[in-house]
Amino acid sequence: MTRPKADSDKDWLPEVEELRLRESLARQMGGPESLERHRAAGRLNVRERIASLLDPGSFHEIGAITGVPTYEGERLVKLFPSNFILGTGRIDGRRVVVGGDDFTIRGGAADAAIGRKAPYAERMALDLRLPMIRLVDGTGGGGSVKYLEKMDRTYIPANPAMEIMEELFSTVPVMSAALGPVAGLGAARVVFSHFSVMPRKTAQLFVAGPPVVEAAFGRRVEKEELGGSRIHTTGFGAVGNEVGSEAEAFEQIRRFLSYMPDSVFELPPAGEAADPADRREEELIRIIPKNKRRPYPVRRILDLVLDRGSFFEIGPKHGASVVTGLGRLLGRPVGILAHDPRIFGGAVTAAAADKMARFIDLCDTFHLPVVYFVDNPGFMIGVEAEREATIRFGARYIFAVYQATVPWCSVILRRVFGVAGAAHGNHSRLNLRYAWPSGDWGSLPIEGGVQAAYRRQIEAAEDPRAMREEIEKRLSRVASPFRTAEMFGVEEIIDPRDTRPLLCEWIETAYRLLPSQLGPKKRGMRP
């Protein structure tokens, strides 16, 4: 059948063709040369990134033809597109908002963007209560000083859409990937998120890039040295996870989202309960050594207790004496805290306390029940620990525990000592906890406490070492966890093999209680 010839006076085909022309010009991005340089650096362009992240064919672009046009008379001959692309799409069928920088246009600098696009993406995620994903590859702030000549003036800086991002942070899950050299407000956009990730070598993050640092301090520094993934995923962890490629970054974003609700007004999504609740693992009965000084693989315990293959660790390289991540019990998402006795004996360092506080706030914001696997010898001690203000960061972690209102269950694997150990749960609520027979607790560990309390007696003895060992042996008899249980000082000592069945029973009750907590918290979450 032959279609009648278009009559421009009767239909809008010419205008639609004009729209398609503008869309095709915008898809050229920074042009062939810029795209090739980007590809040679081992990086996908922004449209390839969006396609790789989202379900195939699900991206709906908004503001596709936004840009600076060039006309010959009334005819459009060129379109210099905005270097920020936004739209909606789906991840495993769930609708999300995504915004990405186009580094091939002015290196992702804000002076090549239309300023209303990025705030619109944030506002859309907030008002539609959809998860927000940022693919950051540029400055995203004031842009280059070259732009001042075009403006013929300077200005007092402002942070665009900050009030939206602040509210967004307490309403929907926000995920960010640093995918190139990211500076200034671009760097801030990465850390204004609940989960952040960056690939090794192809991404860097800094407050100000190498040229600015050289101008300020007279020292030349390379991008990777200044802000590579090794810098930002260790220490206090400006970025959560380091990965080997952009594809792996997108996979981690998808996985993080799978544990999260669309907003604080909804429950976390339940998956298939394929792993039986009554699974009892024989390995658990011997996994903790009788020798208290010997460590054990705490992540192996998590693998044996949680649904198989469900644990997703967040921030493994910073605050490494503590493990944080998401997992599932009977398909239902849970937040996981645990101590790693291989790192500083599991002691809470300043970085670990900061990591714990932020993670607890994440779980509390999005109504994720928390399971805390406790082997806490206390706060880290020593000159360096005091210099790092460990007690102040530790106080924040303790307050986070007491401010949290989500269902909470502690599994005491071994040590619970001091002020830090006392914060394994909120004692003013139902302090639900199960202790393994390996439990060891008190104000101080016997070994260190004996040296402090019996110092004169030990030093006066003919054989100080023998005297110390004799006192330790005498005290160890009263340190049995069964003595504590006799006075209901600990409610249950359990067979370690029963841990999963008990937690699976608890998670059903926890999720029955959660609907009454839905909605935003009284206090907003902070980065």
Side-chain angles (χ1 to χ4, degrees):
M1 180 176 179
T2 304
R3 189 185 187 281
K5 185 177 180 181
D7 186 338
S8 60
D9 291 332
K10 294 183 178 179
D11 64 32
W12 294 92
L13 280 176
E15 286 78 10
V16 170
E17 290 171 358
E18 174 76 6
L19 173 63
R20 298 294 175 248
L21 170 64
R22 290 170 182 263
E23 289 173 342
S24 67
L25 292 173
R27 282 194 293 270
Q28 294 176 11
M29 297 182 277
E33 292 183 5
S34 293
L35 287 166
E36 182 53 39
R37 283 196 302 270
H38 197 72
R39 187 176 298 106
R43 295 152 62 194
L44 300 174
N45 67 56
V46 64
R47 294 186 180 278
E48 291 170 335
R49 287 167 175 165
I50 291 172
S52 179
L53 170 69
L54 300 177
D55 294 350
S58 69
F59 183 55
H60 174 75
E61 188 172 355
I62 298 168
I65 63 172
T66 304
V68 179
T70 299
Y71 289 95
E72 290 182 357
E74 295 185 3
R75 188 171 67 91
L76 178 73
V77 294
K78 186 177 180 181
L79 180 69
F80 186 74
S82 164
N83 63 359
F84 184 83
I85 294 176
L86 77 98
T88 61
R90 296 185 182 273
I91 291 180
D92 295 328
R94 294 173 59 184
R95 197 171 182 222
V96 299
V97 176
V98 61
D101 300 321
D102 186 353
F103 193 84
T104 69
I105 300 175
R106 297 278 297 121
D111 55 21
I114 305 298
R116 292 185 292 273
K117 288 190 77 175
Y120 187 89
E122 307 282 331
R123 171 60 72 184
M124 172 176 275
L126 177 63
D127 287 4
L128 298 183
R129 296 179 184 173
L130 294 174
M132 177 74 211
I133 301 172
R134 304 188 190 112
L135 306 179
V136 187
D137 192 358
T139 61
S144 167
V145 294
K146 286 182 179 180
Y147 199 61
L148 299 180
E149 289 189 298
K150 292 183 180 181
M151 295 172 61
D152 199 30
R153 65 186 184 279
T154 188
Y155 58 90
I156 296 175
N159 291 326
M162 189 58 62
E163 75 287 357
I164 302 174
M165 286 190 279
E166 183 273 330
E167 188 178 356
L168 189 73
F169 203 64
S170 298
T171 308
V172 304
V174 180
M175 295 139 281
S176 296
L179 298 171
V182 175
L185 183 58
R189 287 166 59 214
V190 172
V191 301
F192 293 161
S193 58
H194 301 105
F195 176 71
S196 57
V197 61
M198 63 188 301
R200 285 186 293 273
K201 297 186 179 179
T202 59
Q204 298 82 31
L205 182 144
F206 7 72
V207 174
V212 181
V213 172
E214 184 177 359
F217 299 107
R219 176 178 173 242
R220 188 180 182 89
V221 60
E222 297 299 323
K223 289 189 298 184
E224 193 67 16
E225 179 189 0
L226 179 63
S229 59
R230 182 182 58 83
I231 298 289
H232 287 299
T233 57
T234 57
F236 277 80
V239 174
N241 287 12
E242 176 191 59
V243 293
S245 66
E246 292 190 10
E248 191 177 348
F250 303 147
E251 176 55 36
Q252 288 212 355
I253 287 173
R254 286 192 293 267
R255 190 166 182 200
F256 175 84
L257 180 62
S258 72
Y259 298 91
M260 307 299 292
D262 285 345
S263 77
V264 297
F265 297 92
E266 301 175 40
L267 287 173
E272 183 183 358
D275 199 352
D278 60 356
R279 176 165 58 82
R280 299 173 81 252
E281 297 286 354
E282 288 300 316
E283 188 178 341
L284 292 172
I285 199 68
R286 57 182 179 274
I287 198 166
I288 294 185
K290 290 289 185 78
N291 184 339
K292 296 178 183 179
R293 297 180 183 273
R294 288 183 57 198
Y296 55 86
V298 71
R299 290 172 180 82
R300 178 61 180 163
I301 292 177
L302 303 183
D303 289 340
L304 293 170
V305 171
L306 300 172
D307 291 357
R308 286 189 177 94
S310 72
F311 183 59
F312 175 64
E313 188 167 359
I314 298 172
K317 294 186 177 182
H318 68 269
S321 61
V322 171
V323 177
T324 57
L326 303 169
R328 289 187 175 86
L329 289 166
L330 295 182
R332 295 181 171 94
V334 291
I336 301 297
L337 290 164
H339 294 259
D340 188 347
R342 300 174 303 176
I343 309 293
F344 301 129
V348 179
T349 62
D354 182 69
K355 173 179 169 179
M356 292 173 78
R358 192 171 183 277
F359 183 75
I360 292 167
D361 285 350
L362 168 71
C363 293
D364 198 43
T365 296
F366 292 104
H367 314 295
L368 289 160
V370 173
V371 183
Y372 186 3
F373 292 84
V374 187
D375 185 359
N376 190 344
F379 290 125
M380 187 66 180
I381 60 175
V383 174
E384 188 61 29
E386 303 298 348
R387 185 179 292 116
E388 291 181 348
T390 300
I391 191 64
R392 183 171 67 80
F393 284 99
R396 185 167 176 262
Y397 134 63
I398 293 171
F399 270 42
V401 172
Y402 274 76
Q403 289 173 340
T405 60
V406 290
W408 187 291
C409 183
S410 299
V411 179
I412 300 175
L413 303 180
R414 192 155 65 178
R415 295 161 299 178
V416 185
F417 287 106
V419 175
H424 62 273
N426 182 344
H427 80 282
S428 67
R429 299 171 57 196
L430 174 64
N431 197 12
L432 186 63
R433 55 194 177 184
Y434 300 107
W436 286 13
S438 46
D440 183 23
W441 40 65
S443 58
L444 283 172
I446 286 178
E447 295 80 6
V450 164
Q451 187 62 35
Y454 295 88
R455 182 173 182 175
R456 291 183 180 180
Q457 184 178 342
I458 291 171
E459 290 178 348
E462 292 185 10
D463 187 342
R465 180 177 178 180
M467 174 60 71
R468 187 181 70 250
E469 290 177 351
E470 178 187 333
I471 296 171
E472 288 177 0
K473 184 177 181 181
R474 187 172 74 238
L475 290 176
S476 66
R477 288 193 292 269
V478 301
S480 165
F482 297 108
R483 294 286 185 100
T484 308
E486 288 169 359
M487 57 176 286
F488 206 60
V490 63
E491 296 75 28
E492 285 195 65
I493 298 175
I494 65 170
D495 182 332
R497 295 167 294 189
D498 290 333
T499 305
R500 174 174 170 81
L502 286 168
L503 288 178
C504 286
E505 186 175 78
W506 166 78
I507 199 65
E508 290 184 335
T509 302
Y511 268 80
R512 181 172 56 81
L513 297 173
L514 283 178
S516 65
Q517 297 188 11
L518 295 182
K521 297 293 178 178
K522 291 181 179 179
R523 66 189 187 287
M525 186 173 173
R526 290 168 292 181

